Amino acid sequence: MAQLYYRFSTMNAGKSIELIKVAYNYEERGKHVLVMAPSIDDRYGVGKITSRIGIGRDAVIIDSGMNLLDYYLEQESKQHVDCILIDECQFLKKHHVIELSQIVDQYNCPVLTYGLKNDFRNELFEGSYYMLVYADKIEEIKTICHCGRKATMVARVVDGKIAKAGEQIVIGGNDMYVSLCRKHYMEGNLGE
């Protein structure tokens, strides 16, 4: 029976490389996957999933008004879809998550999503909130703080200091964000 998976972590935990690996494993066995990513994530180009180690692949672009159930049914009518993989799922809207739930429940197609849970202010993104509500399986991908403890917070760094206010969504990478344990996030300690 198919399930809706939400695999979350902070930055630099290997979420994108995990998605690329899962897609490869399906395709190696002759299976057809839909690999998707929200249009807002343009760090490496819109419609691109790229890991920090340099491996990437193309993805179908999800915009805020897209109906994922309709898109799935259109693709399914052309070729059977064995799995849907979505990167940066924190940027999904509530209706996207509900549509993914319908794909799983009505068409028995597994959906694996990868993304952040909380933002730099330690608040949930819309997509993260609804993934926590609707997902059948919620799995944490662990990474570490500079001190060696588990990183659970994403800090936005502005002028060498942790920012605690600002727009929720500002696309960036290692130049703007660092993963920290709660203690060092609260202290504002970025390490070396």
Side-chain angles (χ1 to χ4, degrees):
M1 177 142 214
Q3 294 187 316
L4 176 59
Y5 293 84
Y6 174 36
R7 295 179 172 163
F8 73 91
S9 188
T10 60
M11 303 272 293
N12 299 319
K15 296 178 298 296
S16 296
I17 193 70
E18 177 70 19
L19 181 150
I20 292 167
K21 180 184 83 171
V22 169
Y24 177 83
N25 287 340
Y26 267 89
E27 291 167 344
E28 187 178 42
R29 286 157 183 79
K31 304 293 184 184
H32 177 62
V33 297
L34 288 180
V35 177
M36 308 178 83
S39 61
I40 193 169
D41 184 13
D42 61 0
R43 283 175 294 167
Y44 303 103
V46 177
K48 302 283 184 194
I49 296 174
T50 306
S51 79
R52 284 181 172 76
I53 64 171
I55 298 172
R57 68 174 292 148
D58 291 335
V60 174
I61 300 165
I62 302 169
D63 65 39
S64 62
M66 182 178 191
N67 183 306
L68 297 179
L69 176 58
D70 288 348
Y71 183 79
Y72 163 79
L73 291 172
E74 177 187 321
Q75 297 306 305
E76 180 71 17
S77 72
K78 297 174 189 173
Q79 179 180 4
H80 176 66
V81 176
D82 293 291
C83 182
I84 298 173
L85 301 166
I86 300 178
D87 201 25
E88 304 295 349
C89 69
Q90 72 271 10
F91 298 135
L92 296 177
K93 301 296 182 191
K94 177 182 181 180
H95 73 91
H96 291 135
V97 177
I98 292 170
E99 292 154 8
L100 294 173
S101 299
Q102 292 170 316
I103 292 167
V104 169
D105 295 342
Q106 295 172 20
Y107 299 97
N108 202 36
C109 180
V111 176
L112 289 76
T113 67
Y114 297 80
L116 299 172
K117 181 173 55 91
N118 40 304
D119 67 15
F120 76 103
R121 298 172 300 186
N122 206 28
E123 296 177 11
L124 294 174
F125 290 92
E126 180 178 352
S128 305
Y129 176 84
Y130 288 104
M131 288 306 303
L132 288 167
V133 170
Y134 286 96
D136 297 302
K137 296 262 185 180
I138 300 168
E139 301 170 348
E140 182 179 17
I141 300 172
K142 295 179 177 85
T143 192
I144 59 171
C145 177
H146 61 80
C147 69
R149 283 189 276 222
K150 183 172 87 168
T152 57
M153 308 287 174
V154 175
R156 182 181 292 166
V157 180
V158 177
D159 297 325
K161 297 194 183 316
I162 293 178
K164 301 266 179 135
E167 293 291 320
Q168 182 180 45
I169 298 173
V170 177
I171 303 300
N174 292 343
D175 58 324
M176 277 183 97
Y177 295 98
V178 63
S179 296
L180 298 171
C181 66
R182 183 181 55 237
K183 175 183 179 195
H184 287 129
Y185 173 85
M186 300 299 275
E187 292 175 352
N189 180 342
L190 295 170
E192 299 280 328

